Amino acid sequence: MKIAVLGATGRTGGLVVKEARRRGHHVVAVVRDPSRLGDLAPDDVATADGLDADAVGAALAGVDAVVSTLGPVPGSAPGVQGRLTEVLVGAAREAGVRRAVVVTASGWVVDGDDPMSRYLAKPILARALRDANAGFARAEPAVRGSGLDWTIVRPPMLRDGAARGRYHERRDGNVRWRWSMRRADLADAVCDLLEDPTAVGATVSVAG
C-alpha cells in the first residue's frame, strides 16, 4: 500500500515509517518540519501542519491509507488531539482515502481494566493527564463517525527501547495487568492492524 504517516518525526511515528517500509509499503511522511526527519528515509515527504485541512488533504492525495500517530506535546493547546483528528478525517474523505488507523491511548478509559488500574493508578493520573484525555475523548468519536474504514489503537504508557517482538491485543476493553509497551512493538501492532481486514471498525487495545 501507499501509506501516509502523520506525526512521522515523533518517536512512535518514525518507528511506524521504518516498519511499514520494511514490510514493503510505500510511505509518505507527513510532517510540519522536514528538517526533523534526521536519518529517517521515507519514500516521500509532504509538509503540512496538522490543523491545516488543505495542506493535509494535499498530503493525502493518491495514498491508500493514512496512519496518525499525532499526540499531545508539551505546550500544545488543551484538547488539540481532538481537533487534529477532526481535520484528518475530513481531509481523508476529501482525498478519497478509505483506510485510517489512528493511535490514541488507553489511559483515559477503564473498560476491561484490572482493579489496580481502575481504582488506583488512573484516578491519580487523571488530573495530570486531563488535557490529553480530553483530546482523546474528542478524537475517538470523530474517527468512529468518519465513514472511513477506521481502526483506533489504544496503547498504554509507551517506553523506548528495542522491540520485544510480541504484544497483547484486546478488542473488548483494555489489556488487563499490562501497563506499558515498547514503542517499537506499538509500531509493529499498528502495521499488523493496518493490514488486517478484521480490524476495520474496531477499537483495539494493545500492550506489552
Side-chain angles (χ1 to χ4, degrees), residues 3-58:
I3 302 166
V5 178
L6 277 74
T9 56
R11 287 183 290 174
T12 299
L15 293 170
V16 171
V17 170
K18 292 178 180 178
E19 177 60 21
R21 294 196 74 241
R22 188 190 70 79
R23 298 183 184 211
H25 299 298
H26 182 107
V27 179
V28 181
V30 184
V31 298
R32 284 191 301 174
D33 182 2
S35 69
R36 293 183 58 205
L37 285 167
D39 62 358
L40 198 65
D43 298 284
D44 291 305
V45 178
T47 303
D49 185 297
L51 294 174
D52 185 334
D54 291 337
V56 175

Side-chain angles (χ1 to χ4, degrees), residues 9-208:
T9 56
R11 287 183 290 174
T12 299
L15 293 170
V16 171
V17 170
K18 292 178 180 178
E19 177 60 21
R21 294 196 74 241
R22 188 190 70 79
R23 298 183 184 211
H25 299 298
H26 182 107
V27 179
V28 181
V30 184
V31 298
R32 284 191 301 174
D33 182 2
S35 69
R36 293 183 58 205
L37 285 167
D39 62 358
L40 198 65
D43 298 284
D44 291 305
V45 178
T47 303
D49 185 297
L51 294 174
D52 185 334
D54 291 337
V56 175
L60 300 185
V63 306
D64 303 303
V66 58
V67 174
S68 174
T69 63
L70 294 169
V73 297
S76 61
V80 69
Q81 179 69 16
R83 180 59 185 148
L84 288 167
T85 305
E86 290 165 351
V87 170
L88 169 62
V89 298
R93 286 196 302 262
E94 288 295 320
V97 180
R98 292 295 310 163
R99 188 74 176 100
V101 176
V102 177
V103 178
T104 61
S106 65
W108 68 283
V109 291
V110 297
D111 294 345
D113 266 346
D114 55 84
M116 185 176 294
S117 295
R118 180 187 289 263
Y119 299 113
L120 180 61
K122 288 186 179 178
I124 293 173
L125 292 171
R127 183 179 298 274
L129 300 177
R130 179 178 56 193
D131 290 342
N133 290 345
F136 290 131
R138 179 177 172 182
E140 290 199 0
V143 177
R144 294 193 184 97
S146 65
L148 304 176
D149 295 334
W150 57 267
T151 302
I152 293 170
V153 186
R154 288 175 174 170
M157 181 173 60
L158 296 175
R159 300 184 183 277
D160 295 324
R164 295 185 180 274
R166 61 189 184 276
Y167 62 89
H168 297 269
E169 172 187 320
R170 185 177 176 186
R171 301 191 183 191
D172 60 349
N174 289 334
V175 179
R176 292 169 64 87
W177 304 109
R178 302 281 176 174
W179 304 300
S180 69
M181 78 183 302
R182 300 284 179 91
R183 294 177 188 276
D185 291 315
L186 173 58
D188 192 39
V190 166
C191 291
D192 286 345
L193 292 166
L194 177 66
E195 296 167 352
D196 182 359
T198 73
V200 172
T203 299
V204 184
S205 291
V206 293

